[in-house]
């Protein structure tokens, strides 16, 4: 689970590249907040709650966008994405919610104002660590694995799983509180540097084998 900090090296605004990516995806480059998720589009990732929370956020921030950086699921789980697509279109959110299968994850994380992983279960999620390393404030559910990465109020925010209300409140808090965002970003980068940097992780693995 180590993170290469030369690849995920903090948020750097490149307006030209940002505009090109937004145009390709169809997003509004001036949207705020741009909320993002990265992973497989499956039920246990908590995406139903994320969409519900996003609908609530739109009431306060009508210019908000939601970006799914998607990894393709396999087998029986494929059906969930169809349900997600239907929900987006039935709710007339297709101009606000976007799904991309682009592989340049650091560039996509650079677009985000907030990263969310509202899973019901996880191992040690790499996506949160990558967002932390890129300087994007993170929100995750208070479950095993995510708790090993996020210290609530210090380097990110934790919410209860399957709770769209708490998720809405956390997104709005980060959207409205720039001082908190700066604190979380600074501490999150230090968390990755001091605990999850790739050379540290490889050394731990080597020592275990020895």
């Amino acid at each position: 689970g180590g993170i290469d900090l030369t690849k995920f090296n903090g948020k750097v605004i490149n307006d030209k590249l940002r505009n090109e990516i937004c145009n390709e995806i169809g997003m509004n480059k001036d949207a705020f907040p741009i909320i993002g998720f990265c992973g497989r589009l499956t039920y246990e990732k908590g995406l139903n709650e994320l969409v519900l929370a996003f609908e609530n956020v739109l009431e306060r921030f009508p210019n908000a966008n939601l970006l799914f950086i998607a990894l393709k699921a396999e087998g029986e789980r494929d059906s969930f994405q169809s349900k997600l697509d239907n929900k987006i279109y039935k709710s007339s959110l297709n101009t606000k919610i976007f799904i991309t299968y682009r592989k340049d994850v650091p560039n996509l994380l650079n677009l985000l104002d907030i990263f969310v992983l509202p899973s019901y279960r996880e191992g040690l999620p790499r996506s949160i660590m990558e967002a932390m390393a890129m300087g994007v404030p993170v929100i995750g559910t208070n479950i095993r694995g995510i708790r090993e990465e996020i210290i609530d109020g210090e380097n990110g925010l934790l919410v209860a799983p399957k709770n769209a209300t708490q998720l809405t409140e956390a997104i709005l808090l980060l959207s409205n509180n720039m001082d908190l965002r700066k604190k979380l970003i600074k501490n999150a980068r230090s968390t990755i540097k001091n605990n999850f940097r790739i050379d540290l992780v490889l050394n731990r693995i080597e020592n275990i084998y020895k």
Side-chain angles (χ1 to χ4, degrees):
I3 299 300
D4 182 355
L5 291 181
T6 63
K7 181 178 180 181
F8 296 90
N9 57 358
K11 195 165 184 177
V12 179
I13 302 301
N14 180 327
D15 288 333
K16 181 180 179 181
L17 179 59
R18 177 187 175 88
N19 292 346
E20 288 175 356
I21 295 173
C22 285
N23 287 337
E24 180 177 318
I25 295 173
M27 291 175 54
N28 177 3
K29 64 182 178 63
D30 297 317
F32 181 85
I34 298 177
I35 303 156
F37 162 89
C38 183
R40 292 177 296 112
L41 302 184
T42 55
Y43 172 75
E44 67 265 24
K45 293 296 184 181
L47 304 186
N48 282 327
E49 287 77 23
L50 180 52
V51 173
L52 286 172
F54 179 69
E55 289 180 282
N56 295 334
V57 169
L58 283 173
E59 295 178 7
R60 295 280 297 277
F61 289 90
N63 202 31
N65 278 182
L66 174 58
L67 176 62
F68 290 106
I69 304 167
L71 304 176
K72 289 188 177 180
E74 297 178 357
E76 73 279 1
R77 295 178 178 180
D78 284 0
S79 62
F80 180 79
Q81 183 169 347
S82 296
K83 295 177 183 177
L84 179 64
D85 290 337
N86 288 336
K87 181 175 178 59
I88 291 170
Y89 280 93
K90 285 181 179 179
S91 302
S92 300
L93 293 172
N94 52 303
T95 61
K96 295 291 185 178
I97 300 179
F98 304 89
I99 299 174
T100 181
Y101 291 96
R102 289 174 61 116
K103 304 291 187 184
D104 53 337
V105 174
N107 288 334
L108 295 169
L109 291 175
N110 249 325
L111 301 177
L112 305 183
D113 299 299
I114 299 168
F115 180 87
V116 180
L117 185 64
S119 300
Y120 307 154
R121 59 180 182 177
E122 283 289 346
L124 190 70
R126 185 179 183 85
S127 61
I128 283 181
M129 291 190 281
E130 291 175 347
M132 283 179 156
M134 286 301 297
V136 183
V138 298
I139 301 170
T141 37
N142 192 0
I143 60 172
R144 182 180 63 184
I146 292 179
R147 281 195 301 264
E148 296 180 52
E149 299 169 342
I150 296 179
I151 302 171
D152 187 36
E154 291 297 319
N155 62 3
L157 298 180
L158 291 173
V159 299
K162 299 185 179 182
N163 193 318
T165 299
Q166 284 191 19
L167 187 54
T168 300
E169 291 170 352
I171 294 171
L172 290 176
L173 176 61
L174 288 182
S175 300
N176 286 306
N177 192 327
M178 293 300 112
D179 290 336
L180 177 60
R181 289 168 57 84
K182 291 177 182 177
K183 171 189 171 182
L184 299 184
I185 289 169
K186 179 181 178 181
N187 291 341
R189 178 76 176 174
S190 295
T191 296
I192 302 303
K193 182 178 180 180
N194 297 331
N195 298 283
F196 297 108
R197 205 172 69 236
I198 190 167
D199 57 308
L200 295 177
V201 173
L202 292 176
N203 284 338
R204 290 187 197 121
I205 295 172
E206 184 179 12
N207 289 333
I208 289 171
Y209 276 104
K210 285 180 179 179

